[in-house]
Amino acid sequence: MQLRFTEADERFRGEVSDWLSDNLAGDFSSIRHRGGPGDEHVFVEERKAWEKCLAEGGWTCIGWPEAWGGKDATIEQQVIFNEEYARAGGPGRVGHIGETLTGPTLLAFGSEAQKQRYLPGIRAGKELWCQGYSEPGAGSDLSAVRTRAILDESTQSWRITGQKVWTSLAHESDFVFVLARTDPAQKAHKGLGFFLVPMNQPGVTIRPITQLTGTAEFNEVFFDEAICGKDDIVGEPGAGWKVAMGLLGFERGVSTLGQQMLFQTELDEVIRIARENGSSKNPALRQRIAEAHIGLRTLRYNSLRMLSGGDDGSLSREAMIYKLCWSSWHRNLGKLAMDVLGPEAELLESEPYNLGRLQSLFLFTRADTIYGGTNQIQRNIIAERALGMPREPRGES
Amino acid sequence: MKFSFTDEQLMLKDSAEGFLAEHAGSGVVRHAMVSQSGIDEALWDKICTEMYWQAILVPEAWGGLGLGLVESVIVLEQIGRVLAPVPIAAGVQSVLALRTVAHHDLAQTLLTELAQGKLVALAHTAARPHWGAAGVEVVATETNDGFILNGEARFVASGHSADALLVVAQLDGDLGLFQVTPDQVGVTLSKTPTMDQTRPMGLLQLSKVTVAAAQCLAQSWRQHLDAVLNLSRILIGAEQVGCAQASLDQSVAYVSERVQFGRTIASYQAIKHKAADMMLKVESSRSLLYYAACVGDEALLGTASEEDLREAAAMLASSAGDAAFFCAGTGIQLHGGVGITEEYDIQLYFKRARSMEAYLGRPDQQREVLATMLLDGDDGHAA
């Protein structure tokens, strides 16, 4: 059991932080600390330029194999990169879906031609991806997707029709990966396909969803006979569920430590305000602030255990609790921030509805316990997979 | 960075788990907890001669295994899981105290004896209600050739069965550390009847007890007491994690058997979600436990600051204290009616969790320690 990084890892850390302080400067200074969750709609053009700058410096896709332009970085190095990136105030990555989801999926399940076609664009920060999983009728129960994919032999292409929802940055993306039904006679996780679909085509319509924050980073995406090539299916028709689930497994949590650095800056801000406005004298708030501090440190050591775990990729117990842990912690931090602010919490920065950072935090963190598997679904997963309790009964679909 | 056990540590965990499963069943616990000593002597003897857990933290120079706090918490987590009726936590606490004065001849003798299985208990507080220096009620007065001790110490872990005691006493505005034996004139040692019967406590009363100068291990021990108590909180944290884990395991086993409305109650989401919340608390406090143990080992080596140790201990005591109580309490609820009977073990864990969370300071008091660090200093907060 060893908490400290090796000297070689620390040298790597120095390399990352030097590069970031040299490059995340000048024109890019304005986007420091921006574009994270709840703030993804801002500075998109600047963040696209930043993604290319990052790519030219060799800092995109560092966990990928060298053959595909990565650095074959170890888990430790990826953790360090994410920590330093967050510490430097690195903006929300417009390329993160491609780098962390599409790329690893193609590396594991994609054909040679698919890798050749799509990996270089992601690595170069030039082609952006978004996610086409959830549908209005398929939220927690993802396997209920109804979007259809029909193979048109005459044009050698797939025609996709249906609706996806909660797609971040859809209007900025070049491609979307879509889970769609290839065989309507099959139900649930059978008869699905995993498709790589260009966004810029007549069959794709995007409609932003305005959230309780007044901003819109999520979208609805409508497919009306949208087209992708016959070869733009990952795996066989009918094997889409396996690919889709594999994709979710690739997020091994290397970015979680970066996420925690972001959380730390939020907690620091709450503590700063508490010290300034005297809330720090309130015994009940003192308890909650201490609890928030403990909770954030717990996330860190949960992550380190998770990342130090077995290399077989199996989901460890600490990995299973991770989403439930951080989402609940973050949501509670939002409420704590409001309580520390007191009456000031209600005052907007300006009309018509410009929220302060902590107000956005308070409102947007209500989404944290819902997206990516609600807290209730997480508890089911823990009970069923970690504790071996009976699975929920399924209704007729 | 490798935040997981080494192969040797995994072996230690597996052997502790296997040994205790075989030798420290519920029957052993229930038999010992109503005995005078509260200890299963045969089990303790077997541990001292075959497993050497009493010697884990004793440096090799004095016949110990020379291992660290990580290894100690690995064993204590398993002890807490079965509520093994052996005075290992008390002994380890004394080893920690003696290591602060390891240059002293008497300390070396005691460390050697501890490694051989003798029980030395630390009597440090009357806990009215303070557990730290402010709670020390024994007073030492210096004489020409030694000291006179007066006063009492309560909640002395396994104290009434001890072969020797380390007594913390007020001395000239600081604290002294003395060795006292139960047979000395003026020493009264008795068992304290406690609500939790699985963790026996003693009461030490000292009336004009004369101790020789050679029995004084330290005269300015105040700062060491803080460090020893923080390290002790990590040991307790290990038992709390074990206690929380056992409460979860026993509850899941019970609800998986119990049938109502034609199905096991484990199949109801209301029950599953409670169990999931229990596991979340178990694993979270376990992560903090391993972190705190690493910090504890660094503190023993002098590479972690007092502040880091205090912070780690307070975070763990808050988290593991709450986890053990939550899991045992929820465990009773999941057991339904039988949860409140004497027959089922979950009640033993509930009482143990309550006793441990209060020992050395409640979780809310630990959070106040952290709040002081975060909110009251001049220089912002701890990193």
Side-chain angles (χ1 to χ4, degrees):
Chain A
M1 189 143 281
Q2 177 55 258
L3 267 180
R4 297 186 189 270
F5 288 94
T6 64
E7 273 178 38
D9 283 339
E10 291 301 339
R11 276 196 298 278
F12 178 78
R13 185 186 294 279
E15 219 179 291
V16 177
S17 74
D18 287 350
W19 189 89
L20 286 168
S21 70
D22 290 347
N23 289 275
L24 191 54
D27 288 349
F28 289 128
S29 298
S30 61
I31 58 170
R32 291 182 66 225
H33 299 291
R34 298 307 303 267
D39 193 37
E40 283 197 67
H41 54 288
V42 302
F43 293 112
V44 176
E45 282 315 309
E46 292 85 345
R47 282 158 58 212
K48 281 182 172 179
W50 167 247
E51 191 72 16
K52 288 181 187 135
C53 172
L54 207 56
E56 280 158 22
W59 295 111
T60 51
C61 310
I62 61 169
W64 290 13
E66 282 177 23
W68 294 106
K71 288 184 192 293
D72 254 329
T74 61
I75 294 283
E76 284 83 355
Q77 288 173 329
Q78 294 179 57
V79 165
I80 287 170
F81 175 79
N82 279 286
E83 282 189 339
E84 291 308 311
Y85 188 84
R87 197 195 309 274
R93 293 275 308 277
V94 288
H96 77 277
I97 299 274
E99 173 170 335
T100 63
L101 300 178
T102 313
T105 302
L106 293 180
L107 286 167
F109 302 106
S111 68
E112 195 57 28
Q114 286 168 343
K115 292 180 201 172
Q116 297 280 4
R117 166 62 191 90
Y118 296 110
L119 294 181
I122 296 171
R123 167 64 183 83
K126 289 178 179 162
E127 289 179 346
L128 305 185
W129 286 76
C130 59
Q131 186 169 358
Y133 269 14
S134 296
E135 296 180 7
S140 294
D141 181 10
L142 180 61
S143 72
V145 294
R146 293 172 61 182
T147 295
R148 284 276 286 120
I150 298 170
L151 183 61
D152 181 348
E153 292 285 0
S154 67
T155 57
Q156 290 289 292
S157 61
W158 290 93
R159 291 180 177 275
I160 296 174
T161 300
Q163 182 189 352
K164 294 292 176 181
V165 71
W166 309 122
T167 310
S168 304
L169 292 175
H171 53 295
E172 304 292 347
S173 296
D174 304 290
F175 296 95
V176 58
F177 54 79
V178 176
L179 189 62
R181 203 158 284 286
T182 50
D183 180 356
Q186 303 264 24
K187 284 188 173 171
H189 56 277
K190 292 176 185 151
L192 295 169
F194 188 99
F195 297 91
L196 310 170
V197 183
M199 288 293 282
N200 187 13
Q201 58 169 309
V204 175
T205 310
I206 299 161
R207 196 160 73 194
I209 302 169
T210 306
Q211 298 142 206
L212 76 174
T213 46
T215 57
E217 61 181 296
F218 296 126
N219 300 278
E220 294 176 288
V221 181
F222 299 87
F223 297 88
D224 181 11
E225 302 244 315
I227 291 167
C228 67
K230 187 184 178 187
D231 296 333
D232 286 325
I233 179 170
V234 182
E236 297 298 312
W241 186 251
K242 190 181 102 184
V243 178
M245 290 300 104
L247 175 145
L248 294 177
F250 291 125
E251 178 50 307
R252 273 198 67 191
V254 290
S255 61
T256 57
L257 291 165
Q259 179 195 39
Q260 289 162 25
M261 305 286 283
L262 213 66
F263 290 174
Q264 183 72 59
T265 64
E266 292 166 351
L267 176 58
D268 286 348
E269 176 70 357
V270 171
I271 288 174
R272 188 189 65 75
I273 292 168
R275 291 168 68 109
E276 204 173 271
N277 74 6
S279 303
S280 62
K281 304 276 180 281
N282 177 314
L285 290 174
R286 289 172 73 81
Q287 287 284 313
R288 287 169 61 194
I289 289 169
E291 221 161 302
H293 176 76
I294 296 168
L296 183 51
R297 294 291 292 275
T298 302
L299 290 179
R300 177 172 177 81
Y301 304 115
N302 279 344
S303 294
L304 292 181
R305 273 177 75 201
M306 181 162 86
L307 294 169
S308 299
D311 294 327
D312 61 354
S314 60
L315 213 51
S316 62
R317 291 164 74 94
E318 52 279 10
M320 276 185 261
I321 62 169
Y322 193 74
K323 167 82 207 304
L324 182 55
C325 267
W326 78 254
S327 64
S328 308
W329 181 88
H330 206 208
R331 187 179 66 184
N332 291 345
L333 181 71
K335 182 60 164 62
L336 175 61
M338 295 301 98
D339 294 343
V340 163
L341 277 166
E344 310 306 312
E346 192 51 32
L347 306 179
L348 285 182
E349 282 191 349
S350 61
E351 298 260 54
Y353 199 68
N354 290 330
L355 299 167
R357 184 185 179 198
L358 295 180
Q359 290 167 326
S360 288
L361 172 78
F362 167 64
L363 293 174
F364 194 75
T365 49
R366 303 312 291 197
D368 288 348
T369 53
I370 297 167
Y371 70 73
T374 64
N375 278 13
Q376 287 64 41
I377 289 291
Q378 298 300 329
R379 288 188 176 93
N380 282 353
I381 291 173
I382 293 168
E384 293 169 14
R385 298 200 204 153
L387 299 174
M389 297 169 84
R391 284 169 59 86
E392 286 301 302
R394 260 56 178 172
E396 292 296 313
S397 55
Chain B
M1 192 280 296
K2 187 76 183 162
F3 199 51
S4 56
F5 290 142
T6 61
D7 289 347
E8 290 79 9
Q9 288 166 342
L10 270 179
M11 272 171 56
L12 178 64
K13 174 184 170 282
D14 291 344
S15 75
E17 200 174 354
F19 176 87
L20 291 170
E22 189 181 341
H23 299 289
S26 172
V28 172
V29 178
R30 286 165 176 271
H31 186 261
M33 74 187 199
V34 292
S35 71
Q36 177 52 33
S37 69
I39 296 169
D40 186 301
E41 301 292 349
L43 177 62
W44 180 230
D45 193 54
K46 209 170 170 59
I47 286 173
C48 290
T49 53
E50 291 175 21
M51 309 306 283
Y52 303 108
W53 295 339
Q54 81 286 1
I56 280 183
L57 261 186
V58 177
E60 285 173 291
W62 300 295
L65 297 180
L67 296 170
L69 219 61
V70 171
E71 286 78 11
S72 304
V73 304
I74 287 171
V75 169
L76 284 166
E77 188 179 327
Q78 299 306 323
I79 294 271
R81 228 174 126 183
V82 297
L83 308 178
V86 288
I88 183 150
V92 174
Q93 192 176 38
S94 296
V95 171
L96 289 168
L98 289 166
R99 283 176 62 145
T100 66
V101 291
H103 55 277
H104 200 290
D105 287 345
L106 177 58
Q108 295 173 9
T109 307
L110 289 168
L111 282 168
T112 308
E113 289 176 356
L114 271 158
Q116 290 163 352
K118 266 204 173 183
L119 180 56
V120 180
L122 180 67
H124 62 90
T125 185
R128 271 188 273 258
H130 302 288
W131 293 92
V136 176
E137 285 188 9
V138 176
V139 177
T141 318
E142 192 157 8
T143 61
N144 286 337
D145 53 354
F147 300 85
I148 307 253
L149 302 183
N150 278 295
E152 69 178 34
R154 301 193 299 163
F155 304 106
V156 184
S158 305
H160 57 291
S161 311
D163 300 304
L165 293 133
L166 299 174
V167 179
V168 182
Q170 303 283 353
L171 175 64
D172 288 339
D174 203 310
L175 296 177
L177 183 66
F178 301 88
Q179 182 238 14
V180 166
T181 52
D183 54 6
Q184 276 183 257
V185 177
V187 175
T188 314
L189 199 51
S190 54
K191 183 178 180 182
T192 307
T194 46
M195 184 159 68
D196 163 35
Q197 296 172 291
T198 66
R199 233 175 119 253
M201 298 282 187
L203 168 66
L204 174 70
Q205 291 165 305
L206 303 168
S207 173
K208 295 181 194 159
V209 175
T210 310
V211 295
Q215 285 173 275
C216 174
L217 290 154
Q219 297 207 33
S220 49
W221 202 66
R222 192 190 186 105
Q223 81 186 83
H224 290 301
L225 176 65
D226 286 339
V228 167
L229 293 184
N230 282 327
L231 292 166
S232 300
R233 289 184 178 104
I234 300 173
L235 305 176
I236 294 291
E239 291 189 53
Q240 287 167 325
V241 170
C243 175
Q245 180 72 63
S247 300
L248 170 60
D249 293 344
Q250 293 184 9
S251 300
V252 170
Y254 179 79
V255 299
S256 300
E257 295 289 320
R258 172 76 175 164
V259 173
Q260 287 288 275
F261 304 104
R263 54 196 251 214
T264 65
I265 62 172
S267 67
Y268 293 104
Q269 210 170 43
I271 304 286
K272 286 162 71 176
H273 285 195
K274 281 285 182 212
D277 286 339
M278 290 163 81
M279 189 183 117
L280 181 125
K281 285 183 189 287
V282 171
E283 294 302 331
S284 291
S285 50
R286 182 172 280 140
S287 295
L288 279 179
L289 170 65
Y290 298 159
Y291 165 72
C294 288
V295 173
D297 273 330
E298 293 205 352
L300 289 175
L301 293 169
T303 53
S305 69
E306 265 175 56
E307 192 158 75
D308 285 346
L309 176 62
R310 189 186 318 138
E311 186 208 22
M315 291 195 300
L316 173 61
S318 168
S319 172
D322 283 345
F325 187 77
F326 175 83
C327 290
T330 306
I332 288 184
Q333 183 67 23
L334 295 192
H335 275 73
V338 301
I340 58 153
T341 62
E342 193 269 344
E343 182 187 346
Y344 279 75
D345 285 345
I346 190 71
Q347 54 107 355
L348 300 180
Y349 289 90
F350 181 69
K351 292 171 183 169
R352 173 77 162 236
R354 216 290 327 164
S355 127
M356 287 191 298
E357 76 160 5
Y359 183 66
L360 303 183
R362 293 185 312 267
D364 63 290
Q365 293 171 314
Q366 305 302 327
R367 288 192 285 274
E368 180 52 35
V369 167
L370 293 167
T372 303
M373 295 174 84
L374 293 165
L375 297 168
D376 300 343
D378 296 328
D379 54 346
H381 61 87

